[in-house]
């Protein structure tokens, strides 16, 4: 019997759309989904045709409600050791939440619930576009768990400290408007406008020079905790490739010739 794939991937031009595909359980993530996602992220990084990735959930009820707790309960009953921070040694490692070297920009398209591990995936993305019915939260404190896929570490970095601790320690949910006020997401739109808004951001991503995008992402994320003088003198792998590339010459030439640049990624 064919078992439906947990993750759908659609490639179109320079864009890949990755869909968490368990809508019947609000896209809860089980171990098999994590295994499939690991292969997807490997493919995304290796495929030079892909310049941007959109991550979303199937259906209109949830991006993802996080860990499949029914599967977790079965594993607990079988004596599987409890997990803590990170996914090392577990299926799908390194998961997106620990792929610190992923160079392609990943945009989260959020409609409905993004809870627990679902919100942790959102926090690991570079851009976030949400519908105004999106709901966010890390309920782990209410379940005897911790947000072990980076929620503890990323929320305290991406939100003001008191706001982050309020959500972390109580498991309270917050809506898209609050997420936008905190700077957690880039744009909030009605559900009917979500895809058009995502497409607009994706168009801007893929019309930018691919090596510049990768170099900027690497430098921004690696340097965020560095002293400023150290950030200027650090070596960034993608910047080394960009500054020696044909694209670095093509951009100014196209501007001078009043034409659109033709990026090769080389």
């Amino acid at each position: 019997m064919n078992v439906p794939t947990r993750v759908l991937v659609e490639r179109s031009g320079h864009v890949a759309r990755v869909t968490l595909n368990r809508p019947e359980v609000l896209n809860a993530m089980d171990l098999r989904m994590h295994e499939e996602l690991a292969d997807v992220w490997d493919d995304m990084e290796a495929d030079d045709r892909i310049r941007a990735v959109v991550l979303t959930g199937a259906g209109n009820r949830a991006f993802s409600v996080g860990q499949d707790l029914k599967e977790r309960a079965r594993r607990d009953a079988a004596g599987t050791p409890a997990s803590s921070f990170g996914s090392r040694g577990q299926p799908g490692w390194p998961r997106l939440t620990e792929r610190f070297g992923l160079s392609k920009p990943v945009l989260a398209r959020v409609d409905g619930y993004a809870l627990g591990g679902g919100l942790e995936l959102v926090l690991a993305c570079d851009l976030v576009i949400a519908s105004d019915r999106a709901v966010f939260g890390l309920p782990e404190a209410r379940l005897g768990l911790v947000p072990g896929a980076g929620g503890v570490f990323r929320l305290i970095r991406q939100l003001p400290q008191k706001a982050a601790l309020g959500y972390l320690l109580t498991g309270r949910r917050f809506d898209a408007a609050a997420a936008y006020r905190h700077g957690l997401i880039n744009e909030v739109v009605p559900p009917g406008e979500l895809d058009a808004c995502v497409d607009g951001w994706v168009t801007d991503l893929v019309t930018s020079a691919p090596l510049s995008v990768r170099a900027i992402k690497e430098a921004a994320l690696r340097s965020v905790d560095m002293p400023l003088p150290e950030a200027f003198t650090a070596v960034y792998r993608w910047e080394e490739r960009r500054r020696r590339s044909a694209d670095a010459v093509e951009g100014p030439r196209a501007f001078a010739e009043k034409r659109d640049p033709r990026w090769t990624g080389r």
Side-chain angles (χ1 to χ4, degrees):
M1 183 178 75
N2 292 328
V3 179
T5 181
R6 296 289 203 269
V7 183
L8 304 177
V9 180
E10 177 188 357
R11 290 174 169 85
S12 178
H14 296 299
V15 181
R17 287 177 165 79
V18 178
T19 303
L20 309 177
N21 187 39
R22 299 185 76 203
E24 71 281 2
V25 289
L26 302 181
N27 301 313
M29 294 179 283
D30 61 2
L31 296 181
R32 185 166 151 235
M33 179 182 281
H34 286 302
E35 289 176 340
E36 292 185 17
L37 280 169
D39 291 337
V40 169
W41 299 125
D42 287 344
D43 289 345
M44 294 301 100
E45 185 68 10
D47 188 347
D48 285 337
R49 296 169 297 177
I50 298 302
R51 299 181 185 175
V53 181
V54 176
L55 177 63
T56 192
N60 58 14
R61 297 174 61 201
F63 175 82
S64 172
V65 293
Q67 182 179 189
D68 186 331
L69 293 178
K70 291 183 178 179
E71 180 186 63
R72 179 69 250 182
R74 291 193 298 270
R75 296 176 69 214
D76 288 342
T80 304
S83 59
S84 185
F85 296 111
S87 59
R88 184 179 291 274
Q90 300 181 51
W93 186 85
R95 299 173 184 176
L96 178 63
T97 50
E98 293 171 80
R99 287 193 179 234
F100 305 112
L102 184 65
S103 66
K104 308 288 181 67
V106 182
L107 182 152
R109 174 196 175 276
V110 183
D111 193 17
Y113 296 111
L115 304 176
L119 176 52
E120 289 175 306
L121 277 182
V122 170
L123 294 171
C125 290
D126 304 298
L127 302 173
V128 184
I129 311 301
S131 78
D132 57 18
R133 65 186 175 195
V135 178
F136 303 89
L138 293 169
E140 283 83 353
R142 301 186 180 199
L143 298 166
L145 306 172
V146 296
V152 169
F153 310 127
R154 285 192 169 94
L155 202 69
I156 201 71
R157 286 166 165 78
Q158 296 182 24
L159 264 62
Q161 186 181 84
K162 293 297 188 294
L165 285 173
Y167 296 127
L168 286 166
L169 300 180
T170 69
R172 287 187 178 187
R173 297 177 179 182
F174 54 100
D175 61 16
Y180 183 76
R181 288 196 304 271
H182 290 315
L184 191 65
I185 57 182
N186 297 88
E187 198 162 350
V188 181
V189 294
E193 299 175 18
L194 183 58
D195 287 329
C197 185
V198 168
D199 288 346
W201 282 88
V202 167
T203 296
D204 287 343
L205 285 172
V206 299
T207 55
S208 297
L211 291 178
S212 292
V213 169
R214 296 169 91 168
I216 291 168
K217 174 178 174 176
E218 179 192 24
L221 294 180
R222 274 192 54 207
S223 69
V224 69
D225 293 323
M226 290 181 187
L228 198 54
E230 184 179 332
F232 271 90
T233 57
V235 176
Y236 305 103
R237 181 169 67 96
W238 284 103
E239 170 55 8
E240 292 300 298
R241 288 188 58 175
R242 181 211 63 82
R243 70 188 183 93
R244 294 184 173 91
S245 69
D247 282 359
V249 176
E250 169 64 7
R253 177 187 294 153
F255 179 84
E257 295 174 358
K258 300 181 179 179
R259 60 174 175 80
D260 292 334
R262 295 183 287 270
W263 308 124
T264 64
R266 301 182 181 86

